[in-house]
Amino acid sequence: MIDPKNFGTVACIGVGLVGCAWAVVFARAGFAVNIHDADAAVLEAAPGRIRLQLDALSDQGLVDEPPSVVAGRVRVVASLEEAVRNAVYVQESILEKADLKRALLEQLEPLDDGRRIIGSSTSGIPASAFASGLRISDRVLVVHPVNPPSLIPLVELVPSPDTGADALNFARELMLACDQSPITVRREIDGFVLNRLQAVLLREAWALVKDGIASVEDIDKTVRDGLGWRWSFMGPFETIDLNAVGGVADYARRLGPLYQRIAASRDHSDSWDAELIAEVEAQRRKLLPQAQLRERSHWRDLRLMAFALHARSGRE
Amino acid sequence: MIDPKNFGTVACIGVGLVGCAWAVVFARAGFAVNIHDADAAVLEAAPGRIRLQLDALSDQGLVDEPPSVVAGRVRVVASLEEAVRNAVYVQESILEKADLKRALLEQLEPLDDGRRIIGSSTSGIPASAFASGLRISDRVLVVHPVNPPSLIPLVELVPSPDTGADALNFARELMLACDQSPITVRREIDGFVLNRLQAVLLREAWALVKDGIASVEDIDKTVRDGLGWRWSFMGPFETIDLNAVGGVADYARRLGPLYQRIAASRDHSDSWDAELIAEVEAQRRKLLPQAQLRERSHWRDLRLMAFALHARSGRE
């Protein structure tokens, strides 16, 4: 395991919502954190954002030290060069554009110290699309969080074909040292793992609404009051492994044919057309008016914190 | 809402694991419950099973009355005729075979009082496959729980084309009176809603293992430490509605094309072949040896109860 005390500094480059949450993650774990953003206004707003997140976490008992102590590890740095100078790890959370990410790497290359690892927060752009052909390519990979990483532990590590095994191992150890839950996506693939699983469930959910089989509200209930319970502490494989006397193979032989039939019953060539989007939107706005979206997002964050506390209590 | 005090009696016919859990659900809500099983040994074992479930729930603070009071509402009845005599609702939880379910309905028809509703616990057989062409067809529907219904609130109500609106409404009110979470599956469809959503996610999960993209353990982590958090208190539609500034329509326009591409990237004609099943099984048995399946199932039940308490605290 990486020891924060002997580790030096992490740099968070790009400190919008995701970058600020990363700063909380690293500082909370004990790392010194340099934050930097090419946009001076964004950089100026960051310490306030970070402090707000820390205070909210502290209110719910989710930070062990006083927020001021954790916030005290975060240093605002106006120049990129200065921000990365002592950093052995850079978490990049700039805009989701491959050319901007490439440009940043080209700025970082001459500042390289021969060992620095760079993780990108991108949710959809593979590292090979912006990191190949550089001297530092073997030390760049995707380190994709669920938003916000300060609350939700999962992190997808996605190496490009250029990424070295050492860089991947370093990123995994670093995430474990921060109490995150890293998984490895062994090859670059559309949506990585998390969004692929989300995508197929959403596609079926939208199709059920389109076909008039169930309402948006009832589909949410199906997951919230049913499927989501086991998934929230076991995941789908352990769920089925414990759902048949003989374990997962027994389950697969009994239910595999039904699941194959269900999956094959859909033609995935269709897009969500304007009419269907309007239908789903209308059903959601009836349940939650547009004006209450922000308030409900606050409620969601409180529920996520309550869930974090609950999950912590169940850890083996 | 149905008032248990003025409601009379519910009959649970078939009292294996699912039927016993149903007896707990009805008795806990205050209903008098007659239990019956064609297999005398199963019937004899049922009160002990019911009491075990009640004691476990009570230990976790999930029953408001003493277990003996709740168990006192359950009466073992040796004859089917006697079991349904005063019942305005029958919950059928016998074996998953259409011909057996049909035979039971044919026994119940001459015992009909002209208003009794019959709900089947079947997870996969539509009511039209065993309930049509009877005098009571309009009062039969599927009332499919997640196992065990005494812990997990979701219940799928699936009317057949013969089911009357009154029967559907009655079943919904009854489930609400029992503090379950009923949803309506408006037309009979393979897997109803819950297993369709589970099916598509599992199909993608298995395909990711087959392609070597991620391990069984990492896919479970992706849901358990990531996706499952929001789903466990919001469901998938509310999750995306709150994940874009403009709500669900905004989200759909931005991410719809990616999700369409992901869903369309799979050919669902393949089955889970023996080799793939062996691979998943091997990965699971490394994480959890066969000999520990039973012990882990007990852990799961404790986690489900802890989750039930947690979910209860967050109810609006």
Side-chain angles (χ1 to χ4, degrees):
Chain A
M1 288 281 272
I2 288 165
D3 177 1
K5 287 187 262 335
N6 297 317
F7 180 67
T9 300
V10 165
C12 291
I13 308 302
V15 281
L17 271 180
V18 173
C20 283
W22 272 121
V24 168
V25 166
F26 293 121
R28 185 175 56 185
F31 295 94
V33 182
N34 290 341
I35 62 172
H36 171 78
D37 199 293
D39 184 328
V42 171
L43 184 58
E44 199 185 349
R49 277 187 162 170
I50 289 167
R51 188 54 196 260
L52 264 179
Q53 283 192 30
L54 278 169
D55 287 343
L57 291 169
S58 181
D59 285 349
Q60 306 295 323
L62 286 163
V63 201
D64 299 330
E65 302 172 291
S68 60
V69 171
V70 180
R73 298 194 183 102
V74 179
R75 192 165 66 103
V76 176
V77 183
S79 96
L80 178 66
E81 182 173 359
E82 171 72 12
V84 303
R85 185 174 292 144
N86 298 313
V88 290
Y89 180 72
V90 173
Q91 182 72 41
E92 171 270 299
S93 311
I94 66 172
L95 284 182
E96 281 287 83
K97 288 186 175 162
D99 56 343
L100 294 180
K101 291 181 188 295
R102 174 71 181 190
L104 177 63
L105 290 182
E106 285 170 353
Q107 282 182 276
L108 289 175
E109 195 174 43
L111 305 174
D112 186 42
D113 64 356
R115 62 188 192 113
R116 188 178 299 135
I117 312 286
I118 300 167
S120 171
S121 298
T122 178
S123 66
I125 312 173
S128 59
F130 57 85
S132 46
L134 297 169
R135 203 160 31 76
I136 56 173
S137 298
D138 63 326
R139 280 178 279 117
V140 181
L141 75 162
V142 168
V143 177
H144 171 231
V146 184
N147 199 22
S150 49
L151 268 179
I152 305 185
L154 189 87
V155 177
E156 293 183 286
L157 308 178
V158 194
S160 83
D162 293 326
T163 308
D166 286 352
L168 179 60
N169 287 334
F170 176 93
R172 186 185 299 115
E173 290 294 314
L174 178 63
M175 289 301 117
L176 291 172
C178 294
D179 228 9
Q180 302 297 112
S181 175
I183 69 137
T184 305
V185 182
R186 294 191 195 119
R187 286 201 312 276
E188 293 179 333
I189 186 172
D190 250 352
F192 309 146
V193 168
L194 183 135
N195 276 328
R196 291 188 76 83
L197 297 175
Q198 178 164 234
V200 292
L201 187 133
L202 282 173
R203 289 286 298 180
E204 179 62 28
W206 283 71
L208 288 168
V209 172
K210 186 175 188 179
D211 295 349
I213 301 290
S215 68
V216 164
E217 182 177 21
D218 277 359
I219 291 169
D220 268 359
K221 278 188 192 168
T222 303
V223 176
R224 185 192 76 193
D225 298 335
L227 274 176
W229 283 41
R230 294 195 190 99
W231 285 352
S232 75
F233 63 88
M234 294 195 291
F237 279 111
E238 182 153 28
T239 293
I240 63 174
D241 195 27
L242 299 179
N243 233 1
V245 177
V248 69
D250 179 18
Y251 185 97
R253 279 185 291 264
R254 286 194 298 108
L255 282 156
L258 170 66
Y259 289 174
Q260 179 184 6
R261 208 160 68 231
I262 289 170
S265 71
R266 295 291 178 196
D267 174 355
H268 292 293
S269 62
D270 60 312
S271 61
W272 294 339
D273 60 28
E275 193 184 348
L276 178 58
I277 292 176
E279 170 63 28
V280 170
E281 166 82 356
Q283 288 194 37
R284 277 300 303 162
R285 291 293 70 81
K286 227 173 133 180
L287 296 164
L288 182 74
Q290 188 84 21
Q292 292 173 25
L293 272 173
R294 182 187 284 264
E295 184 190 328
R296 187 71 173 171
S297 296
H298 180 66
W299 167 87
R300 173 202 57 197
D301 292 343
L302 289 176
R303 289 309 300 158
L304 279 175
M305 286 190 260
F307 188 89
L309 271 181
H310 165 74
R312 193 184 267 203
S313 76
R315 259 190 217 172
E316 296 142 282
Chain B
M1 289 279 274
I2 288 162
D3 178 2
K5 287 187 261 337
N6 297 318
F7 180 67
T9 299
V10 166
C12 291
I13 308 302
V15 280
L17 271 179
V18 173
C20 283
W22 271 122
V24 168
V25 166
F26 294 121
R28 185 176 56 186
F31 296 94
V33 182
N34 289 341
I35 62 172
H36 172 79
D37 199 293
D39 184 329
V42 171
L43 185 59
E44 199 184 350
R49 277 188 161 169
I50 289 167
R51 187 56 195 260
L52 264 180
Q53 283 192 29
L54 277 169
D55 287 343
L57 290 169
S58 181
D59 284 349
Q60 306 296 322
L62 286 163
V63 200
D64 299 329
E65 301 172 290
S68 61
V69 171
V70 180
R73 297 193 185 103
V74 179
R75 192 165 66 104
V76 176
V77 183
S79 97
L80 177 67
E81 181 173 356
E82 171 73 11
V84 302
R85 183 174 296 144
N86 297 313
V88 289
Y89 180 72
V90 172
Q91 182 72 41
E92 170 271 298
S93 311
I94 67 172
L95 285 182
E96 282 285 82
K97 289 188 173 159
D99 57 340
L100 294 180
K101 291 182 188 296
R102 174 71 181 192
L104 176 62
L105 289 182
E106 284 171 353
Q107 283 181 279
L108 289 174
E109 195 173 42
L111 306 173
D112 185 43
D113 64 357
R115 61 188 194 114
R116 187 179 300 136
I117 314 286
I118 300 167
S120 171
S121 298
T122 178
S123 66
I125 311 173
S128 60
F130 57 85
S132 47
L134 297 168
R135 203 162 29 78
I136 56 174
S137 299
D138 64 326
R139 281 178 278 117
V140 181
L141 76 164
V142 168
V143 177
H144 172 231
V146 185
N147 199 24
S150 48
L151 269 179
I152 305 186
L154 188 87
V155 176
E156 293 182 286
L157 308 178
V158 194
S160 83
D162 294 326
T163 308
D166 287 351
L168 179 59
N169 287 334
F170 176 93
R172 186 184 298 116
E173 290 294 313
L174 177 63
M175 289 301 117
L176 291 172
C178 294
D179 228 9
Q180 302 297 112
S181 175
I183 69 137
T184 306
V185 182
R186 293 190 198 121
R187 287 202 311 275
E188 294 179 333
I189 185 173
D190 250 350
F192 309 145
V193 168
L194 183 135
N195 275 328
R196 292 187 76 83
L197 297 175
Q198 178 164 235
V200 292
L201 187 133
L202 282 173
R203 288 287 296 181
E204 180 61 29
W206 284 69
L208 288 168
V209 172
K210 187 174 186 179
D211 295 348
I213 301 289
S215 69
V216 164
E217 183 177 21
D218 277 359
I219 290 169
D220 268 358
K221 278 188 192 167
T222 303
V223 176
R224 186 191 75 192
D225 299 335
L227 275 175
W229 284 41
R230 293 196 191 98
W231 285 353
S232 75
F233 63 89
M234 294 194 290
F237 279 110
E238 182 153 28
T239 293
I240 63 175
D241 196 27
L242 299 180
N243 233 1
V245 178
V248 68
D250 180 19
Y251 185 98
R253 279 184 291 264
R254 287 193 298 107
L255 282 156
L258 169 65
Y259 289 174
Q260 181 184 5
R261 208 159 69 231
I262 289 170
S265 70
R266 296 291 178 195
D267 174 356
H268 291 294
S269 63
D270 60 312
S271 61
W272 295 338
D273 59 28
E275 193 184 347
L276 178 58
I277 292 176
E279 169 63 28
V280 170
E281 166 83 356
Q283 288 194 37
R284 277 300 303 163
R285 291 293 71 80
K286 226 172 133 179
L287 296 165
L288 183 74
Q290 188 83 21
Q292 293 172 25
L293 273 172
R294 181 186 285 265
E295 183 191 326
R296 186 72 174 171
S297 296
H298 180 65
W299 166 86
R300 174 202 58 199
D301 292 343
L302 290 176
R303 289 308 300 158
L304 279 175
M305 286 189 260
F307 188 89
L309 271 182
H310 165 73
R312 191 184 271 204
S313 76
R315 258 190 219 173
E316 297 139 281

